[in-house]
Amino acid sequence: MLVTGDLAYHGETKEFERAEKWFDEVRAKIQLPAESVYVIPGNHDVNRKNVGDDTMLMDAHRAIRAINDYNDRDASVAKKLKDSSYDFLGRNQRIP
């Protein structure tokens, strides 16, 4: 099973607990083991309270959102993901 994000709306623990319960019910009905469920987080799965405005993640987010052409936006995302100087985990430090 592939889940493509937005399990939550505000990235809060209670939302993930509710989603986990629902997925457990679905898995039980179709007899699917837990290790067969793959999740790709969506933008609503981020708890914005835990990501400050001064983090590299938010800087990258603003830069990407400022690009109107989708092809240019995709290229910018790909470039940032390959750039080891970006710390997408929000530790607000450069990766050597």
Side-chain angles (χ1 to χ4, degrees):
M1 178 186 304
L2 178 62
V3 182
T4 58
D6 290 348
L7 300 171
Y9 187 74
H10 296 296
E12 296 175 354
T13 301
K14 65 183 177 183
E15 295 173 313
F16 290 112
E17 289 170 349
R18 190 167 127 204
E20 181 180 27
K21 181 180 175 189
W22 186 83
F23 279 112
D24 286 345
E25 291 173 10
V26 170
R27 283 188 319 95
K29 288 184 181 186
I30 62 174
Q31 299 177 351
L32 185 71
E35 58 272 6
S36 295
V37 178
Y38 299 89
V39 179
I40 300 168
N43 62 317
H44 287 279
D45 296 323
V46 175
N47 187 328
R48 306 269 180 207
K49 295 175 193 170
N50 296 330
V51 180
D53 282 342
D54 62 341
T55 64
M56 296 177 107
L57 177 62
M58 290 308 293
D59 289 344
H61 174 75
R62 280 190 288 273
I64 292 165
R65 292 289 303 257
I67 301 170
N68 291 322
D69 182 278
Y70 289 110
N71 292 323
D72 291 343
R73 187 180 289 180
D74 289 347
S76 178
V77 170
K79 182 178 178 183
K80 284 178 177 35
L81 289 173
K82 292 176 184 173
D83 184 346
S84 64
S85 67
Y86 276 94
D87 176 13
F88 289 106
L89 298 177
R91 295 181 304 246
N92 209 17
Q93 61 188 16
R94 294 280 177 185
I95 299 172

